[in-house]
Coordinates of all heavy atoms in Angstrom, one line a residue:
M1 N 0.9 -1.2 0.0 CA 0.0 0.0 0.0 C 0.9 1.2 0.0 O 1.7 1.4 0.9 CB -0.9 -0.1 1.2 CG -1.7 1.1 1.5 SD -2.9 1.0 2.9 CE -2.5 -0.5 3.8
K2 N 0.7 2.1 -1.0 CA 1.7 3.2 -1.1 C 1.4 4.4 -0.1 O 2.3 5.2 0.0 CB 1.6 3.7 -2.6 CG 0.3 4.3 -3.0 CD 0.3 4.8 -4.4 CE -1.0 5.4 -4.8 NZ -1.0 5.8 -6.2
N3 N 0.3 4.4 0.5 CA 0.1 5.5 1.5 C 0.3 5.2 2.9 O 0.1 6.0 3.8 CB -1.3 6.1 1.3 CG -2.4 5.1 1.5 OD1 -2.2 3.9 1.5 ND2 -3.6 5.5 1.8
Y4 N 0.8 3.9 3.2 CA 1.1 3.5 4.6 C 2.3 4.2 5.1 O 3.3 4.3 4.4 CB 1.2 2.0 4.6 CG 1.6 1.5 6.0 CD1 0.6 1.3 7.0 CD2 2.9 1.2 6.4 CE1 0.9 0.8 8.2 CE2 3.2 0.7 7.6 CZ 2.2 0.5 8.5 OH 2.5 0.1 9.8
I5 N 2.3 4.8 6.3 CA 3.4 5.5 6.8 C 4.2 4.7 7.9 O 5.3 4.4 7.8 CB 3.0 6.9 7.4 CG1 2.2 7.7 6.4 CG2 4.2 7.6 7.9 CD1 3.0 8.0 5.1
Q6 N 3.5 4.3 9.0 CA 4.1 3.6 10.1 C 3.0 3.0 11.0 O 1.8 3.4 10.9 CB 5.0 4.5 10.9 CG 4.2 5.6 11.7 CD 5.1 6.5 12.4 OE1 5.8 7.3 11.7 NE2 5.1 6.5 13.7
P7 N 3.3 2.0 11.9 CA 2.3 1.4 12.8 C 1.7 2.5 13.7 O 0.5 2.4 14.0 CB 3.1 0.4 13.6 CG 4.3 0.1 12.8 CD 4.6 1.4 12.0
G8 N 2.4 3.4 14.3 CA 1.9 4.4 15.1 C 2.0 4.1 16.6 O 1.6 4.9 17.4
S9 N 2.5 3.0 17.0 CA 2.7 2.7 18.4 C 3.8 3.6 19.0 O 3.8 3.9 20.2 CB 3.0 1.2 18.7 OG 4.1 0.9 18.0
T10 N 4.7 4.0 18.2 CA 5.7 5.0 18.6 C 5.7 6.1 17.6 O 5.7 5.9 16.4 CB 7.1 4.3 18.6 OG1 7.1 3.3 19.5 CG2 8.2 5.3 19.1
L11 N 5.7 7.4 18.0 CA 5.7 8.5 17.1 C 6.8 9.5 17.5 O 7.2 9.6 18.7 CB 4.4 9.3 17.3 CG 3.1 8.6 16.8 CD1 1.9 9.5 17.2 CD2 3.2 8.3 15.3
T12 N 7.3 10.1 16.5 CA 8.3 11.2 16.7 C 7.5 12.5 16.9 O 6.7 12.9 16.1 CB 9.3 11.3 15.5 OG1 9.9 10.1 15.3 CG2 10.3 12.4 15.8
V13 N 7.7 13.2 18.0 CA 7.1 14.4 18.4 C 8.1 15.4 18.8 O 9.2 15.1 19.1 CB 6.0 14.2 19.5 CG1 4.9 13.3 19.0 CG2 6.6 13.7 20.7
I14 N 7.7 16.7 18.8 CA 8.5 17.8 19.3 C 8.2 18.2 20.7 O 7.0 18.4 21.0 CB 8.4 19.0 18.3 CG1 8.9 18.5 16.9 CG2 9.2 20.2 18.8 CD1 8.7 19.5 15.8
A15 N 9.2 18.3 21.5 CA 9.0 18.7 22.9 C 8.4 20.1 23.1 O 9.1 21.0 22.7 CB 10.2 18.5 23.7
A16 N 7.3 20.2 23.7 CA 6.7 21.6 24.0 C 7.3 22.1 25.3 O 7.4 23.3 25.6 CB 5.2 21.5 24.1
A17 N 7.8 21.1 26.1 CA 8.5 21.4 27.4 C 9.6 20.4 27.5 O 9.6 19.3 26.8 CB 7.6 21.3 28.6
A18 N 10.6 20.6 28.3 CA 11.7 19.6 28.5 C 11.1 18.3 29.0 O 10.2 18.3 29.8 CB 12.7 20.1 29.5
V19 N 11.5 17.2 28.4 CA 11.0 15.8 28.8 C 12.2 15.0 29.2 O 13.3 15.2 28.7 CB 10.2 15.1 27.7 CG1 8.9 15.9 27.5 CG2 11.0 14.9 26.5
T20 N 12.0 14.0 30.0 CA 13.0 13.1 30.5 C 12.6 11.7 30.0 O 11.4 11.3 30.1 CB 13.1 13.1 32.0 OG1 13.4 14.4 32.4 CG2 14.2 12.2 32.5
S21 N 13.6 10.9 29.6 CA 13.3 9.5 29.2 C 12.5 8.8 30.3 O 12.9 8.9 31.5 CB 14.6 8.8 29.0 OG 14.4 7.4 28.7
G22 N 11.4 8.1 30.0 CA 10.6 7.4 30.9 C 9.5 8.2 31.5 O 8.6 7.7 32.2
Q23 N 9.4 9.5 31.1 CA 8.4 10.4 31.7 C 7.1 10.2 30.9 O 7.1 10.1 29.6 CB 8.9 11.8 31.5 CG 7.9 12.9 31.9 CD 8.4 14.3 31.7 OE1 9.6 14.5 31.5 NE2 7.6 15.3 31.6
G24 N 5.9 10.2 31.5 CA 4.6 10.3 30.9 C 4.4 11.6 30.3 O 4.7 12.6 31.0
V25 N 3.9 11.7 29.1 CA 3.7 13.0 28.4 C 2.3 13.0 27.7 O 2.0 12.0 27.0 CB 4.8 13.2 27.4 CG1 4.6 14.6 26.7 CG2 6.2 13.1 28.0
L26 N 1.6 14.0 27.9 CA 0.4 14.3 27.1 C 0.7 15.3 26.0 O 1.1 16.4 26.3 CB -0.7 14.8 28.1 CG -2.1 14.8 27.6 CD1 -2.6 13.4 27.2 CD2 -3.0 15.4 28.7
V27 N 0.5 14.9 24.8 CA 0.7 15.7 23.6 C -0.7 15.9 23.0 O -1.2 15.0 22.3 CB 1.7 15.1 22.6 CG1 1.9 16.0 21.4 CG2 3.0 14.8 23.3
G28 N -1.3 17.0 23.2 CA -2.7 17.2 22.8 C -3.6 16.2 23.5 O -3.6 16.1 24.7
R29 N -4.2 15.3 22.8 CA -5.0 14.2 23.3 C -4.3 12.9 23.3 O -4.8 11.8 23.7 CB -6.3 14.1 22.6 CG -7.2 15.4 22.7 CD -7.6 15.7 24.1 NE -8.6 14.8 24.6 CZ -9.1 14.9 25.8 NH1 -8.7 15.8 26.6 NH2 -10.0 14.0 26.2
M30 N -3.0 12.9 22.8 CA -2.2 11.6 22.8 C -1.4 11.5 24.0 O -0.7 12.5 24.4 CB -1.3 11.6 21.6 CG -1.9 11.5 20.2 SD -0.7 11.3 18.9 CE 0.4 12.7 19.1
F31 N -1.4 10.3 24.6 CA -0.5 10.1 25.8 C 0.5 9.0 25.5 O 0.2 8.1 24.7 CB -1.4 9.6 27.0 CG -0.5 9.3 28.2 CD1 -0.1 10.4 29.0 CD2 -0.1 8.0 28.5 CE1 0.8 10.1 30.1 CE2 0.7 7.8 29.6 CZ 1.1 8.9 30.4
G32 N 1.7 9.2 26.0 CA 2.7 8.2 25.8 C 3.8 8.4 26.8 O 3.8 9.3 27.7
V33 N 4.9 7.6 26.6 CA 6.1 7.7 27.5 C 7.3 8.0 26.6 O 7.5 7.4 25.6 CB 6.3 6.3 28.2 CG1 7.6 6.4 29.0 CG2 5.1 6.0 29.1
A34 N 8.0 9.0 27.1 CA 9.2 9.5 26.3 C 10.3 8.4 26.3 O 10.7 7.9 27.4 CB 9.7 10.8 26.9
A35 N 10.8 8.1 25.1 CA 11.8 7.1 25.0 C 13.2 7.7 25.3 O 14.1 7.0 25.8 CB 11.8 6.5 23.6
T36 N 13.3 9.0 25.0 CA 14.6 9.7 25.3 C 14.3 11.0 25.9 O 13.1 11.5 25.9 CB 15.3 9.9 24.0 OG1 14.5 10.7 23.1 CG2 15.7 8.6 23.3
S37 N 15.3 11.7 26.4 CA 15.1 13.0 27.0 C 15.2 14.0 25.8 O 15.9 13.8 24.8 CB 16.2 13.3 28.0 OG 16.1 12.4 29.1
A38 N 14.6 15.2 26.0 CA 14.6 16.2 24.9 C 14.4 17.6 25.6 O 13.6 17.7 26.5 CB 13.6 15.9 23.9
A39 N 15.1 18.6 25.0 CA 14.8 19.9 25.4 C 13.7 20.5 24.6 O 13.3 19.9 23.6 CB 16.1 20.8 25.2
I40 N 13.2 21.6 25.0 CA 12.1 22.3 24.2 C 12.5 22.5 22.8 O 13.6 22.9 22.5 CB 11.8 23.7 24.8 CG1 11.2 23.5 26.3 CG2 10.8 24.5 24.0 CD1 11.1 24.9 27.0
G41 N 11.6 22.0 21.9 CA 11.8 22.2 20.4 C 12.6 21.0 19.8 O 12.7 20.9 18.6
E42 N 13.1 20.1 20.6 CA 13.8 18.9 20.1 C 12.8 17.8 19.8 O 11.8 17.7 20.5 CB 14.9 18.4 21.1 CG 16.0 19.3 21.2 CD 17.1 18.8 22.1 OE1 16.8 17.9 22.9 OE2 18.2 19.2 22.0
E43 N 13.1 16.9 18.9 CA 12.3 15.7 18.6 C 12.7 14.6 19.6 O 13.8 14.5 20.1 CB 12.6 15.2 17.2 CG 12.1 16.1 16.1 CD 12.3 15.4 14.7 OE1 13.1 14.5 14.6 OE2 11.7 15.9 13.8
Y44 N 11.6 13.8 19.9 CA 11.8 12.6 20.7 C 10.8 11.6 20.4 O 9.8 11.9 19.7 CB 11.8 12.9 22.2 CG 10.5 13.3 22.8 CD1 9.6 12.4 23.4 CD2 10.0 14.7 22.6 CE1 8.4 12.8 23.9 CE2 8.8 15.1 23.1 CZ 8.0 14.2 23.7 OH 6.7 14.5 24.2
E45 N 11.0 10.3 20.7 CA 10.1 9.2 20.4 C 9.1 9.1 21.6 O 9.5 9.1 22.8 CB 10.8 7.9 20.2 CG 11.8 8.0 19.0 CD 11.0 8.2 17.7 OE1 10.0 7.5 17.4 OE2 11.4 9.2 17.0
L46 N 7.8 9.0 21.3 CA 6.8 8.8 22.2 C 6.2 7.5 22.1 O 5.6 7.2 21.0 CB 5.7 9.9 22.0 CG 4.6 10.0 23.0 CD1 5.1 10.5 24.4 CD2 3.5 10.9 22.5
H47 N 6.4 6.6 23.1 CA 5.8 5.2 23.0 C 4.4 5.3 23.5 O 4.1 5.7 24.7 CB 6.6 4.3 23.9 CG 7.9 3.9 23.4 ND1 8.1 3.0 22.4 CD2 9.1 4.4 23.7 CE1 9.3 2.9 22.1 NE2 10.0 3.8 22.8
R48 N 3.4 4.9 22.7 CA 2.0 5.1 23.0 C 1.3 3.8 23.4 O 0.2 3.8 23.9 CB 1.3 5.6 21.7 CG 1.8 7.0 21.3 CD 1.1 7.6 20.1 NE -0.3 7.5 20.3 CZ -1.2 6.7 19.5 NH1 -0.7 6.0 18.6 NH2 -2.5 6.8 19.8
C49 N 2.0 2.7 23.3 CA 1.4 1.4 23.6 C 2.4 0.5 24.4 O 3.6 0.7 24.2 CB 1.0 0.6 22.4 SG -0.2 1.4 21.3
G50 N 1.9 -0.3 25.3 CA 2.8 -1.2 26.1 C 2.6 -1.0 27.5 O 1.7 -0.2 28.0
V51 N 3.3 -1.8 28.3 CA 3.2 -1.8 29.8 C 4.3 -0.9 30.3 O 5.5 -1.2 30.0 CB 3.2 -3.2 30.4 CG1 3.1 -3.1 31.9 CG2 2.0 -4.0 29.9
F52 N 4.0 0.0 31.1 CA 5.0 1.0 31.7 C 4.8 1.1 33.2 O 3.6 1.1 33.7 CB 4.9 2.3 31.1 CG 5.2 2.3 29.6 CD1 4.3 2.1 28.7 CD2 6.5 2.5 29.2 CE1 4.6 2.1 27.3 CE2 6.9 2.5 27.8 CZ 5.9 2.3 26.9
E53 N 5.8 1.3 34.0 CA 5.8 1.6 35.4 C 5.9 3.2 35.4 O 6.8 3.7 35.0 CB 6.9 1.0 36.2 CG 6.8 1.3 37.6 CD 8.0 0.7 38.5 OE1 8.9 0.2 37.9 OE2 7.8 0.6 39.7
L54 N 4.8 3.8 36.0 CA 4.7 5.2 36.1 C 4.3 5.7 37.4 O 3.8 4.9 38.2 CB 3.7 5.7 35.0 CG 4.1 5.5 33.6 CD1 2.9 5.7 32.6 CD2 5.2 6.5 33.2
P55 N 4.6 7.0 37.8 CA 4.2 7.5 39.0 C 2.6 7.4 39.1 O 1.9 7.6 38.1 CB 4.6 9.0 39.0 CG 5.6 9.1 37.9 CD 5.3 8.0 36.9
K56 N 2.1 7.2 40.3 CA 0.7 7.1 40.6 C 0.3 7.9 41.8 O 1.2 8.2 42.6 CB 0.2 5.7 40.7 CG 0.7 4.9 42.0 CD 0.2 3.5 42.0 CE -1.0 3.3 42.9 NZ -1.0 3.7 44.3
L57 N -0.9 8.2 42.0 CA -1.4 8.8 43.2 C -1.2 7.8 44.3 O -1.8 6.7 44.2 CB -2.9 9.1 43.1 CG -3.6 9.7 44.3 CD1 -2.9 11.0 44.7 CD2 -5.1 10.0 44.0
E58 N -0.3 8.1 45.2 CA 0.1 7.1 46.2 C -1.0 6.5 47.0 O -1.1 5.3 47.3 CB 1.1 7.7 47.2 CG 2.5 7.8 46.6 CD 3.6 8.0 47.6 OE1 3.5 7.4 48.7 OE2 4.5 8.8 47.3
A59 N -2.0 7.3 47.4 CA -3.1 6.9 48.3 C -4.2 6.1 47.5 O -5.4 6.3 47.8 CB -3.6 8.1 49.0
Q60 N -3.9 5.3 46.6 CA -4.9 4.5 45.8 C -4.4 3.1 45.8 O -3.2 2.8 45.5 CB -5.1 5.0 44.4 CG -5.8 6.3 44.3 CD -5.9 6.7 42.9 OE1 -5.2 6.4 42.0 NE2 -6.9 7.6 42.6
A61 N -5.3 2.1 45.9 CA -5.0 0.7 45.7 C -5.5 0.4 44.3 O -6.6 0.9 43.9 CB -5.7 -0.2 46.7
W62 N -4.8 -0.3 43.5 CA -5.2 -0.6 42.1 C -5.4 -2.1 41.9 O -4.7 -2.9 42.5 CB -4.1 -0.2 41.1 CG -3.9 1.3 40.9 CD1 -4.5 2.3 41.5 CD2 -3.0 1.9 39.9 NE1 -4.1 3.5 41.0 CE2 -3.1 3.3 40.0 CE3 -2.1 1.3 39.1 CZ2 -2.4 4.1 39.3 CZ3 -1.3 2.2 38.3 CH2 -1.5 3.6 38.4
T63 N -6.4 -2.4 41.1 CA -6.7 -3.8 40.8 C -6.5 -4.0 39.2 O -6.7 -3.0 38.5 CB -8.1 -4.2 41.2 OG1 -9.0 -3.3 40.5 CG2 -8.3 -4.1 42.7
V64 N -6.2 -5.2 38.8 CA -5.9 -5.5 37.4 C -7.2 -5.2 36.6 O -8.3 -5.5 37.0 CB -5.5 -6.9 37.2 CG1 -5.4 -7.3 35.7 CG2 -4.2 -7.2 37.9
G65 N -7.0 -4.5 35.5 CA -8.1 -4.1 34.6 C -8.8 -2.8 34.9 O -9.6 -2.3 34.1
Q66 N -8.5 -2.2 36.0 CA -9.1 -1.0 36.4 C -8.6 0.1 35.4 O -7.4 0.1 35.1 CB -8.7 -0.6 37.8 CG -9.4 0.5 38.5 CD -9.0 0.6 39.9 OE1 -8.0 0.1 40.4 NE2 -9.8 1.4 40.7
R67 N -9.4 1.0 35.0 CA -9.0 2.1 34.2 C -8.1 3.1 34.9 O -8.3 3.4 36.1 CB -10.2 2.9 33.7 CG -11.1 2.2 32.7 CD -12.2 3.0 32.2 NE -13.0 2.3 31.2 CZ -14.3 2.4 31.1 NH1 -15.0 3.2 31.9 NH2 -14.9 1.7 30.1
V68 N -7.1 3.6 34.2 CA -6.2 4.6 34.7 C -6.2 5.8 33.8 O -6.3 5.7 32.6 CB -4.7 4.1 35.0 CG1 -4.7 3.1 36.1 CG2 -4.1 3.5 33.7
Y69 N -6.0 7.0 34.5 CA -6.1 8.3 33.8 C -4.8 9.1 34.1 O -4.2 8.9 35.2 CB -7.3 9.1 34.4 CG -8.6 8.3 34.2 CD1 -9.0 7.3 35.1 CD2 -9.5 8.6 33.2 CE1 -10.2 6.6 35.0 CE2 -10.7 7.9 33.0 CZ -11.0 6.9 33.9 OH -12.2 6.3 33.7
W70 N -4.5 9.9 33.2 CA -3.3 10.7 33.4 C -3.7 12.1 34.0 O -4.5 12.8 33.4 CB -2.5 11.0 32.1 CG -1.3 11.8 32.2 CD1 -1.0 13.0 31.8 CD2 -0.1 11.3 32.9 NE1 0.2 13.4 32.2 CE2 0.8 12.4 32.9 CE3 0.3 10.1 33.5 CZ2 2.1 12.3 33.4 CZ3 1.5 10.0 34.1 CH2 2.4 11.1 34.0
D71 N -3.1 12.4 35.1 CA -3.3 13.7 35.8 C -2.2 14.5 35.4 O -1.1 14.5 36.0 CB -3.3 13.4 37.3 CG -3.4 14.7 38.2 OD1 -3.3 15.8 37.6 OD2 -3.5 14.6 39.4
D72 N -2.4 15.3 34.3 CA -1.3 16.1 33.7 C -0.8 17.2 34.7 O 0.4 17.4 34.7 CB -1.8 16.7 32.4 CG -0.6 17.1 31.5 OD1 0.3 16.3 31.4 OD2 -0.7 18.2 30.9
G73 N -1.6 17.7 35.5 CA -1.1 18.8 36.5 C -0.2 18.2 37.5 O 0.7 19.0 38.0
N74 N -0.3 16.9 37.9 CA 0.6 16.3 38.9 C 1.5 15.3 38.3 O 2.2 14.6 39.0 CB -0.3 15.7 40.0 CG -1.0 16.7 40.8 OD1 -0.4 17.6 41.4 ND2 -2.3 16.7 40.8
S75 N 1.5 15.1 36.9 CA 2.3 14.2 36.2 C 2.3 12.8 36.8 O 3.3 12.2 37.2 CB 3.8 14.7 36.2 OG 3.8 15.9 35.5
R76 N 1.1 12.2 36.9 CA 0.9 10.9 37.5 C -0.3 10.2 37.1 O -1.3 10.9 36.6 CB 1.0 10.9 39.0 CG -0.2 11.7 39.6 CD -0.2 11.9 41.1 NE -1.3 12.6 41.6 CZ -1.4 13.2 42.7 NH1 -0.4 13.1 43.6 NH2 -2.4 13.9 43.1
L77 N -0.4 8.9 37.2 CA -1.6 8.2 36.9 C -2.5 8.2 38.2 O -2.1 8.3 39.3 CB -1.3 6.7 36.6 CG -0.5 6.5 35.2 CD1 -0.1 5.1 35.1 CD2 -1.4 7.0 34.1
T78 N -3.8 8.0 37.9 CA -4.8 8.0 38.9 C -6.0 7.2 38.4 O -6.2 7.0 37.2 CB -5.3 9.4 39.3 OG1 -6.3 9.3 40.3 CG2 -5.8 10.2 38.1
T79 N -6.8 6.7 39.3 CA -8.1 6.1 39.0 C -9.2 7.0 38.9 O -10.4 6.7 38.6 CB -8.4 4.9 39.9 OG1 -8.5 5.4 41.2 CG2 -7.4 3.8 39.8
V80 N -9.0 8.3 39.2 CA -10.0 9.4 39.2 C -10.2 9.9 37.8 O -9.2 10.4 37.1 CB -9.6 10.5 40.1 CG1 -10.6 11.7 40.0 CG2 -9.4 10.0 41.5
A81 N -11.4 9.8 37.2 CA -11.6 10.2 35.8 C -11.8 11.7 35.7 O -11.3 12.3 34.7 CB -12.9 9.5 35.3
T82 N -12.4 12.3 36.7 CA -12.8 13.7 36.5 C -11.6 14.6 36.3 O -10.6 14.6 37.1 CB -13.5 14.2 37.8 OG1 -14.6 13.4 38.0 CG2 -14.0 15.7 37.7
G83 N -11.5 15.3 35.2 CA -10.5 16.2 34.9 C -9.2 15.6 34.3 O -8.2 16.3 34.1
N84 N -9.2 14.3 34.1 CA -8.0 13.6 33.7 C -8.3 12.8 32.4 O -9.4 12.6 32.0 CB -7.6 12.6 34.8 CG -7.2 13.4 36.1 OD1 -6.5 14.4 36.0 ND2 -7.7 12.9 37.2
Q85 N -7.2 12.4 31.7 CA -7.3 11.7 30.4 C -7.1 10.2 30.6 O -6.1 9.8 31.1 CB -6.1 12.3 29.6 CG -5.9 11.6 28.2 CD -7.0 12.0 27.2 OE1 -7.5 13.1 27.2 NE2 -7.4 11.1 26.4
L86 N -8.1 9.5 30.1 CA -8.0 8.0 30.1 C -6.9 7.6 29.2 O -6.8 8.0 28.1 CB -9.3 7.4 29.6 CG -9.4 5.9 29.6 CD1 -9.2 5.2 30.9 CD2 -10.8 5.5 29.0
V87 N -6.0 6.7 29.8 CA -4.8 6.3 29.0 C -4.6 4.8 28.9 O -3.9 4.3 28.1 CB -3.5 6.9 29.5 CG1 -3.5 8.4 29.3 CG2 -3.2 6.5 30.9
G88 N -5.3 4.0 29.7 CA -5.2 2.6 29.7 C -5.8 1.9 30.9 O -6.8 2.4 31.5
A89 N -5.1 0.8 31.3 CA -5.7 0.0 32.4 C -4.5 -0.6 33.2 O -3.4 -0.8 32.8 CB -6.5 -1.2 31.9
V90 N -4.8 -0.9 34.5 CA -3.9 -1.5 35.4 C -3.5 -2.9 34.9 O -4.4 -3.6 34.6 CB -4.5 -1.5 36.8 CG1 -3.5 -2.3 37.8 CG2 -4.8 -0.1 37.4
S91 N -2.2 -3.2 34.9 CA -1.7 -4.5 34.5 C -1.2 -5.3 35.6 O -1.2 -6.6 35.5 CB -0.7 -4.4 33.4 OG 0.5 -3.7 33.9
V92 N -0.9 -4.7 36.8 CA -0.4 -5.4 38.0 C -1.0 -4.7 39.2 O -1.0 -3.5 39.2 CB 1.2 -5.3 38.1 CG1 1.7 -6.0 39.3 CG2 1.8 -6.0 36.9
P93 N -1.5 -5.4 40.1 CA -2.1 -4.8 41.3 C -1.1 -3.9 42.0 O 0.1 -4.2 42.0 CB -2.5 -5.9 42.2 CG -2.6 -7.1 41.4 CD -1.6 -6.9 40.3
A94 N -1.6 -2.8 42.6 CA -0.7 -1.9 43.3 C -1.4 -1.6 44.7 O -2.5 -1.2 44.7 CB -0.5 -0.6 42.6
P95 N -0.6 -1.7 45.8 CA -1.2 -1.4 47.1 C -1.3 0.1 47.4 O -0.7 0.9 46.7 CB -0.2 -2.0 48.0 CG 1.1 -1.9 47.3 CD 0.8 -2.1 45.9
D96 N -2.1 0.4 48.4 CA -2.2 1.8 48.9 C -1.4 1.7 50.3 O -1.7 0.9 51.1 CB -3.6 2.1 49.2 CG -3.8 3.4 50.0 OD1 -2.8 4.1 50.2 OD2 -5.0 3.7 50.4
P97 N -0.3 2.5 50.4 CA 0.3 3.4 49.5 C 1.3 2.8 48.6 O 1.9 1.8 49.0 CB 0.9 4.5 50.4 CG 1.4 3.6 51.6 CD 0.3 2.6 51.7
S98 N 1.6 3.3 47.5 CA 2.7 3.0 46.6 C 2.9 4.1 45.6 O 1.9 4.7 45.1 CB 2.4 1.7 45.8 OG 1.2 1.7 45.1
P99 N 4.2 4.5 45.3 CA 4.5 5.6 44.5 C 4.3 5.4 43.0 O 4.2 6.3 42.2 CB 5.9 6.0 44.8 CG 6.5 4.6 45.2 CD 5.4 3.9 45.9
T100 N 4.4 4.1 42.6 CA 4.3 3.8 41.1 C 3.3 2.6 40.9 O 3.0 1.9 41.8 CB 5.7 3.4 40.5 OG1 6.2 2.2 41.2 CG2 6.7 4.6 40.7
G101 N 2.9 2.5 39.6 CA 2.1 1.4 39.3 C 2.3 1.0 37.8 O 2.9 1.8 37.1
F102 N 1.9 -0.2 37.5 CA 2.1 -0.7 36.1 C 0.8 -0.6 35.3 O -0.2 -1.0 35.8 CB 2.5 -2.2 36.2 CG 3.9 -2.4 36.7 CD1 4.1 -2.4 38.1 CD2 4.9 -2.6 35.9 CE1 5.4 -2.6 38.6 CE2 6.2 -2.9 36.4 CZ 6.4 -2.8 37.7
A103 N 0.9 0.1 34.2 CA -0.3 0.3 33.4 C 0.0 -0.1 31.9 O 1.1 0.1 31.4 CB -0.6 1.8 33.4
L104 N -1.1 -0.7 31.4 CA -1.1 -1.0 29.9 C -1.6 0.2 29.2 O -2.8 0.5 29.4 CB -1.9 -2.3 29.7 CG -2.2 -2.6 28.2 CD1 -0.9 -2.9 27.5 CD2 -3.1 -3.8 28.1
L105 N -0.8 0.8 28.4 CA -1.2 1.9 27.6 C -1.8 1.3 26.3 O -1.1 0.5 25.6 CB -0.1 2.9 27.3 CG 0.6 3.5 28.5 CD1 1.7 4.5 28.1 CD2 -0.3 4.1 29.5
D106 N -2.9 1.8 25.9 CA -3.6 1.2 24.7 C -3.4 2.0 23.4 O -3.8 1.6 22.3 CB -5.0 0.8 24.9 CG -5.9 2.1 25.3 OD1 -5.4 3.2 25.2 OD2 -7.0 1.9 25.7
G107 N -2.9 3.2 23.5 CA -2.6 4.0 22.4 C -3.8 4.7 21.8 O -3.7 5.4 20.7
T108 N -5.0 4.6 22.4 CA -6.2 5.2 21.8 C -6.2 6.6 22.2 O -5.9 7.1 23.3 CB -7.4 4.5 22.5 OG1 -7.4 3.1 22.2 CG2 -8.7 5.1 21.9
I109 N -6.7 7.4 21.2 CA -6.8 8.9 21.4 C -8.3 9.1 21.7 O -9.2 8.7 21.0 CB -6.4 9.7 20.1 CG1 -4.9 9.4 19.8 CG2 -6.6 11.1 20.3 CD1 -4.5 9.9 18.4
R110 N -8.5 9.8 22.9 CA -9.8 10.0 23.4 C -10.1 11.5 23.4 O -9.4 12.3 23.7 CB -10.0 9.4 24.8 CG -9.7 7.9 24.7 CD -9.6 7.3 26.1 NE -9.6 5.9 26.1 CZ -8.5 5.2 26.0 NH1 -7.3 5.8 25.9 NH2 -8.5 3.9 26.0

């Protein structure tokens, strides 16, 4: 097919703010994890699918399959939907308290 470009699970994007490798990033309505660090205006790879360990709201217990949302103001995952962007689901249970959690990012733009 002559118009096929790429799978889309990883995209090259331009940093609107400095990013660090492994950091969760919301680019418009797309969420992913930065593969490399980048300064403002530099390109970096954004992984949109897969299982990642990311910061979470510590005072939450997570169960497998539970929806997780990106809280962009606090740069962390949460199970609270209000005001946050749905990005995937819990892949490994996480106790309350715990600073990080494992989430399956599905790459869907919502």
Side-chain angles (χ1 to χ4, degrees):
M1 173 175 12
K2 64 182 181 179
N3 60 342
Y4 179 80
I5 306 298
Q6 68 184 69
S9 58
T10 301
L11 294 175
T12 302
V13 295
I14 296 174
V19 297
T20 303
S21 177
Q23 175 184 342
V25 183
L26 191 59
V27 180
R29 300 297 289 177
M30 290 188 305
F31 179 79
V33 176
T36 58
S37 297
I40 295 172
E42 290 183 341
E43 290 184 344
Y44 67 99
E45 296 299 307
L46 185 70
H47 288 279
R48 300 181 50 245
C49 300
V51 176
F52 295 89
E53 181 179 15
L54 292 166
K56 69 179 259 310
L57 179 58
E58 284 196 39
Q60 290 180 335
W62 288 4
T63 58
V64 172
Q66 189 174 18
R67 290 182 177 146
V68 288
Y69 302 81
W70 184 249
D71 173 355
D72 201 43
N74 292 300
S75 298
R76 66 185 178 197
L77 293 173
T78 178
T79 57
V80 176
T82 304
N84 299 313
Q85 175 73 34
L86 178 62
V87 297
V90 174
S91 61
V92 175
D96 170 7
S98 56
T100 63
F102 290 81
L104 170 62
L105 306 183
D106 60 12
T108 302
I109 300 169
R110 298 170 172 88

